[in-house]
Amino acid sequence: NAGVMQNPRHLVRRRGQEARLRCSPMKGHSHVYWYRQLPEEGLKFMVYLQKENIIDESGMPKERFSAEFPKEGPSILRIQQVVRGDSAAYFCASSRGQSNQPQHFGDGTRLSIL
Amino acid sequence: AQSVSQHNHHVILSEAASLELGCNYSYGGTVNLFWYVQYPGQHLQLLLKYFSGDPLVKGIKGFEAEFIKSKFSFNLRKPSVQWSDTAEYFCAVNGRPGSARQLTFGSGTQLTVLP
């Protein structure tokens, strides 16, 4: 069984460019979560999605960040006009529908802003 | 709002030493509790989880954790560590049905086991 697949593993962007991070959940998982890990910190929740719906985006910055999980294809985390402070590791997790199911994490995308 | 505190930022042990990593949480409702491990360059892996029932939970690789409700704690233990246990360990919590599913993580504890 393939785990949670994230790509790219590493992404380098210049300030002002756009970053697109992709996440394919585990087979059978319909819930996707995005987390951000800054250096020397734990993971911070950003957004929780089900297919075609954003359930909770309380952890996502109001500007420049957006997320989607279309009916077909991977979940996308999009960062527009990136700034140095966006440099971090971005992790995606997925789970089944039931609330007592644990989240399984991908390898993360390490975003570096020049 | 819920929060998770991990008391030790960095722990260094010799092989065969016993391990206990502290985790305290604050949350107004009933919680699910987790420990994840992140080996260098790898993704987070679930070590163990507590949803209900026996407060002493056994996980993979010889790890266990005890949920003490009165202390809001979920400390991770292992009787004898190995060099391969060198990794970063994260405690996490989320709420029960009807409340938030997203995980709130502690800041992590880096464990270094010396051979």
Side-chain angles (χ1 to χ4, degrees), chain B residues 9-69:
Chain B
H9 186 62
H10 196 175
V11 173
I12 302 174
L13 295 172
S14 298
E15 274 194 314
S18 64
L19 169 73
E20 181 160 2
L21 301 181
C23 172
N24 286 90
Y25 67 93
S26 66
Y27 183 68
T30 309
V31 294
N32 301 318
L33 296 154
F34 306 84
W35 275 97
Y36 284 86
V37 60
Q38 187 176 27
Y39 297 103
Q42 296 188 24
H43 61 272
L44 276 79
Q45 298 175 38
L46 182 66
L47 269 181
L48 48 78
K49 60 185 185 291
Y50 172 81
F51 291 128
S52 63
D54 188 343
L56 184 61
V57 179
K58 294 196 182 297
I60 61 171
K61 306 186 181 187
F63 287 90
E64 65 178 32
E66 185 175 12
F67 170 50
I68 303 179
K69 189 175 180 180

Side-chain angles (χ1 to χ4, degrees), chain A residues 9 31 33 35 37 40-45 48 50 56 58 91 95-108 110, chain B residues 9 32 34 36 38 40-46 49 51 88 90 94-108:
Chain A
R9 288 292 304 274
H31 297 241
Y33 310 79
Y35 295 85
Q37 185 179 29
E40 304 297 321
E41 293 186 17
L43 282 76
K44 300 281 193 245
F45 166 76
Y48 163 34
Q50 295 178 26
D56 184 345
S58 59
F91 289 93
S95 71
R96 295 184 185 276
Q98 297 82 3
S99 62
N100 64 351
Q101 294 297 312
Q103 295 176 25
H104 296 264
F105 283 80
D107 287 335
R110 277 148 184 84
Chain B
H9 186 62
N32 301 318
F34 306 84
Y36 284 86
Q38 187 176 27
Q42 296 188 24
H43 61 272
L44 276 79
Q45 298 175 38
L46 182 66
K49 60 185 185 291
F51 291 128
E88 190 150 20
F90 293 95
N94 71 359
R96 285 292 173 81
S99 59
R101 292 191 185 191
Q102 64 268 24
L103 292 168
T104 299
F105 283 86
S107 56

Side-chain angles (χ1 to χ4, degrees), chain A residues 43-81:
Chain A
L43 282 76
K44 300 281 193 245
F45 166 76
M46 298 182 75
V47 61
Y48 163 34
L49 309 104
Q50 295 178 26
K51 283 285 186 181
E52 300 185 278
N53 285 307
I54 296 175
I55 306 302
D56 184 345
E57 56 182 350
S58 59
M60 201 147 72
K62 295 286 185 284
E63 297 179 353
R64 302 188 297 108
F65 285 72
S66 62
E68 62 177 12
F69 188 16
K71 187 177 181 181
E72 302 291 336
S75 175
I76 306 287
L77 179 67
R78 182 180 176 208
I79 310 172
Q80 295 178 289
Q81 300 174 335

